[in-house]
Amino acid sequence: QVQLVESGGGLVQAGGSLRLSCTASGSFFSMPTMGWYRQAPGKQRDLVADISTGGSTNYADSVKGRFTISRDNAKKTVYLLMNSLKPEDTAVYFCNSKIARSLSSSTIDYWGQGTQVVVSS
């Protein structure tokens, strides 16, 4: 059973920083993409950033220059360093991994339980 466990959310003042971590456990063949999504109250879940096994990254325009995504493939862990946080960054942040269970299978989306980030003004 594949599981994603997140940590690192919390309350921070505007302009501050937080680092989120997400570690995958269980048996699988590959994890080509890991990323972070966020969902504010009453809004849809949107991509914040993702990263490939080779290190290619993709960011939402709203976080470019402030957030940095990275991953440690050996540890099956993805990180999100969030700097210069703004009140509009307040949301539940979800870890996402696209995982292939075997060489011949297509990837499936797995999600973490979510971690709350609150940025006060």
Side-chain angles (χ1 to χ4, degrees):
Q1 182 72 13
V2 176
Q3 286 189 318
L4 301 178
V5 178
E6 302 146 340
S7 62
L11 172 65
V12 65
Q13 288 188 330
S17 298
L18 284 174
R19 190 177 85 150
L20 307 182
S21 300
C22 171
T23 299
S25 63
S27 178
F28 51 87
F29 176 73
S30 69
M31 191 164 52
T33 305
M34 299 186 79
W36 293 92
Y37 287 69
R38 67 186 181 186
Q39 187 169 19
K43 295 189 176 181
Q44 67 181 21
R45 189 176 298 185
D46 292 323
L47 175 70
V48 176
D50 62 23
I51 183 168
S52 70
T53 305
S56 297
T57 58
N58 178 42
Y59 293 93
D61 288 342
S62 59
V63 306
K64 284 181 180 177
R66 300 188 298 122
F67 291 10
T68 302
I69 190 169
S70 60
R71 65 187 282 176
D72 185 328
N73 293 324
K75 294 182 178 180
K76 302 176 184 178
T77 298
V78 63
Y79 306 96
L80 185 68
L81 176 60
M82 304 183 292
N83 294 323
S84 303
L85 282 160
K86 304 175 181 180
E88 51 263 43
D89 294 318
T90 295
V92 178
Y93 284 69
F94 294 90
C95 176
N96 169 269
S97 287
K98 301 187 187 305
I99 290 175
R101 298 298 298 272
S102 67
L103 176 62
S104 60
S105 64
S106 56
T107 59
I108 298 173
D109 280 316
Y110 287 86
W111 294 92
Q113 78 281 3
T115 185
Q116 179 74 56
V117 171
V118 177
V119 184
S120 62
S121 57

